[in-house]
Amino acid sequence: NRNALVAVAPAIWGTVAWLRWRQEGWRPGRWWAVAGFALGMCGGETALSALALPVCFELLGGGAPGARLGERVKALAPLLVLAAVYAVTYKALGFGAKHSGAYLDPVHDTAAYLAAAALRIPGLLGVMAFNAPIEITVGIPGAIWGFAAAGLLGAAGVGLLLRRAWAALDADVRRHLIWLLVGSLLGNAKV
């Protein structure tokens, strides 16, 4: 699965450049971010997962306090245009795993996608929480329920720990933790 590394590594560096631009005012970071994501998308669709981080950073207030939502969306424009061009090209050229039995198209089969996501996302949380191989579910389809239960239990445990620690965290840390958690969950929610 080296293609995932080839796709994600430049996208993560793109995210770092994005954060430097938005937090430190490093102007080249905006275009280095676009270049990092573009290079990552040349490596594979997994690079799109990393887009959740700058999007959540901007939309959930990770940027400068008091920045207007319109300014944040405008800042995202180059990345969103890049993602749209990628998605149109991807579909037009017939790329992806759409002909495999495991792939569900969220646009053309939304109901099936959401039904599968309701079980697969908690299952993936179980994998992350307990470092278990989800590939078992290919051979034993009913095993996904165990992974989903473990994922929900693990997420509840982390939630309880975070709830207890929340008051002790600095306001700036809480602000950044929100976009990081949501961005990480969305980035890993590839069903």
Side-chain angles (χ1 to χ4, degrees):
N1 201 20
R2 287 184 214 149
N3 68 314
L5 292 173
V6 169
V8 171
I12 293 299
W13 283 110
T15 301
V16 170
W18 184 267
L19 292 173
R20 285 206 50 212
W21 170 51
R22 297 299 284 159
Q23 292 180 315
E24 300 169 16
W26 185 57
R27 291 192 183 273
R30 180 180 197 183
W31 302 112
W32 278 112
V34 173
F37 278 100
L39 185 60
M41 289 176 200
C42 288
E45 66 189 66
T46 309
L48 288 173
S49 299
L51 268 177
L53 292 170
V55 168
C56 287
F57 175 82
E58 296 295 343
L59 299 183
L60 298 178
R68 292 189 175 116
L69 181 62
E71 294 170 3
R72 293 176 182 178
V73 171
K74 184 179 176 184
L76 284 170
L79 293 179
L80 298 178
V81 167
L82 176 65
V85 168
Y86 177 83
V88 168
T89 304
Y90 187 86
K91 285 290 185 184
L93 296 176
F95 293 149
K98 66 181 175 184
H99 300 293
S100 76
Y103 180 76
L104 298 170
D105 188 333
V107 175
H108 293 103
D109 200 1
T110 306
Y113 178 86
L114 291 175
L119 190 58
R120 290 181 185 177
I121 290 173
L124 290 172
L125 287 173
V127 169
M128 289 190 298
F130 300 105
N131 197 24
I134 198 163
E135 291 81 8
I136 292 170
T137 62
V138 174
I140 309 169
I144 189 68
W145 290 97
F147 280 100
L152 292 174
L153 285 172
V158 169
L160 288 173
L161 291 172
L162 185 58
R163 183 175 174 219
R164 290 189 68 190
W166 194 256
L169 297 175
D170 174 80
D172 196 48
V173 171
R174 286 194 302 255
R175 183 169 60 92
H176 286 291
L177 197 54
I178 290 170
W179 73 263
L180 276 169
L181 286 171
V182 174
S184 296
L185 285 172
L186 290 174
N188 284 299
K190 192 173 179 186
V191 179

